[in-house]
């Protein structure tokens, strides 16, 4: 486990300037179609809510992209929607309930919100009539993917996760508290989410997320989904950016140890948003693993 920061002011500066800018990309224009296949958007009723998703590609292999905290398909996965092989894959990027365009309802964080997202994600793909899917899950989306793979093993073919954790430590909690007040974020970090949500919803939901994720710290061993890891049966690739300031390396090592047969791939220059900053490298890594 990495040591706690010795200088809170330095930690705060690092949190507000470096990871937040890297975690939240600037708004992307809709990607151009590749292989003559456009990115389409729609909403569909799933488990009592209307979930928004984007879809592209014409391949037999269905892949679901699961975004991170406050994220959506369009803000979190533009390079993947644009560039993943559209002949080999059918790619779906969803907005979990309360995020992106999957509103109403407003986002809330009961203790089972990750399990709820996992069921929503799987049921969305079943409504779209995919018989089996692979998962690409980033950050909170990686946690959701782990739970989905554990609870619906026959439905999940393969899985790639990065920036995810199976439990919450005191160190994690300090990092979360550092991003609680969005008025202290850099302007570059705030703008995309203000544009997506409006300032009030953005600020309120960030505070609710911090409270929601911190509730796991009070459970035995800070448990989110560590008890489910032995149930994961699908081939799993865990990617970790060695310069990720939001999710310490020990989380990736724990996942690798407890997900049977998993592979761990380290990106020395990667931060939390490694799939955006190093999109070509990440996309090739994911495609090679999924094929």
């Amino acid at each position: 486990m990495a040591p706690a920061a010795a200088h809170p002011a330095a930690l705060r500066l690092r949190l507000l300037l470096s990871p937040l800018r890297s975690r939240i990309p600037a708004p992307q224009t809709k990607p151009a179609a590749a292989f003559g296949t456009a990115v389409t958007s729609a909403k569909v009723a799933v488990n009592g809510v209307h979930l928004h998703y984007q879809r592209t590609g014409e391949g037999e292999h269905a892949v679901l992209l699961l975004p991170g905290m406050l994220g959506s398909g369009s803000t979190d996965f533009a390079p993947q929607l644009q560039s993943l092989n559209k002949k080999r894959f059918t790619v779906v990027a969803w907005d979990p309930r309360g995020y992106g365009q999957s509103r109403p309802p407003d986002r809330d964080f009961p203790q089972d919100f990750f399990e709820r997202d996992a069921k929503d994600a799987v049921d969305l793909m079943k409504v779209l009539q995919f018989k089996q899917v692979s998962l690409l899950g980033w950050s909170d989306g990686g946690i959701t993917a782990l739970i989905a793979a554990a609870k619906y093993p026959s439905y999940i073919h393969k899985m790639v996760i990065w920036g995810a954790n199976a439990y919450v430590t005191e160190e994690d909690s300090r990092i979360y508290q550092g991003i609680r007040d969005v008025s202290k974020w850099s302007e570059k970090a705030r703008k995309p989410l203000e544009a997506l949500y409006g300032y009030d919803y953005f600020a309120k939901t960030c505070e609710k997320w911090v409270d929601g994720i911190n509730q796991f710290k009070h459970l035995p061993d800070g448990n989110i989904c560590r008890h489910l890891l032995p149930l994961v049966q699908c081939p799993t690739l865990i990617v970790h950016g060695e310069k990720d300031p939001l999710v310490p390396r020990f989380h990736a090592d724990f996942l690798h140890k407890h997900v049977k047969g998993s592979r761990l791939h380290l990106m020395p220059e990667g931060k939390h948003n490694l799939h955006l900053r190093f999109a070509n490298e990440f996309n090739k890594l994911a495609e090679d693993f999924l094929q």
Side-chain angles (χ1 to χ4, degrees), residues 102-128:
S102 292
R103 295 175 288 150
D106 286 354
R107 181 70 177 185
D108 64 349
F109 298 92
Q111 195 170 94
D112 67 344
F113 72 90
F114 283 118
E115 284 82 0
R116 183 182 63 186
D117 283 350
K119 178 171 173 53
D120 282 349
V122 167
D123 289 348
L124 167 66
M125 297 303 278
K126 288 181 177 179
V127 168
L128 297 180

Side-chain angles (χ1 to χ4, degrees), residues 1-21:
M1 183 177 295
H7 301 288
L11 174 62
R12 185 177 196 81
L13 182 65
R14 186 177 66 161
L15 284 169
L16 293 178
L17 297 183
S18 174
L20 282 172
R21 277 203 297 248

Side-chain angles (χ1 to χ4, degrees), residues 31-40 55-58 82 86-87:
F35 300 106
T37 304
V39 177
T40 60
R55 177 173 176 166
T56 187
E58 55 192 18
Q82 181 175 8
K86 294 171 188 281
K87 291 293 186 182

Side-chain angles (χ1 to χ4, degrees), residues 2-53:
H7 301 288
L11 174 62
R12 185 177 196 81
L13 182 65
R14 186 177 66 161
L15 284 169
L16 293 178
L17 297 183
S18 174
L20 282 172
R21 277 203 297 248
S22 65
R23 179 181 182 130
I24 303 166
Q28 302 278 346
T29 57
K30 181 165 286 191
F35 300 106
T37 304
V39 177
T40 60
S41 299
K43 294 182 83 167
V44 65
V46 178
N47 297 330
V49 297
H50 286 85
L51 296 176
H52 177 264
Y53 66 94

Side-chain angles (χ1 to χ4, degrees), residues 159-203:
M159 175 170 61
V160 182
I161 57 172
W162 63 107
N165 50 297
Y167 58 95
V168 173
T169 68
E170 287 290 344
E171 179 181 352
D172 298 320
S173 184
R174 285 191 292 271
I175 293 173
Y176 304 149
Q177 289 297 337
I179 62 174
R180 181 186 185 91
D181 183 353
V182 301
S183 71
K184 297 179 181 177
W185 290 20
S186 68
E187 183 181 6
K188 185 177 180 180
R190 288 198 312 267
K191 271 190 171 182
L193 295 179
E194 286 185 32
L196 179 61
Y197 292 116
Y199 181 85
D200 289 345
Y201 185 85
F202 163 43

Side-chain angles (χ1 to χ4, degrees), residues 87-102:
K87 291 293 186 182
R88 186 184 304 162
F89 305 111
T90 296
V91 180
V92 176
W94 80 311
D95 299 356
R97 64 170 70 198
Y99 284 164
Q101 297 183 54
S102 292

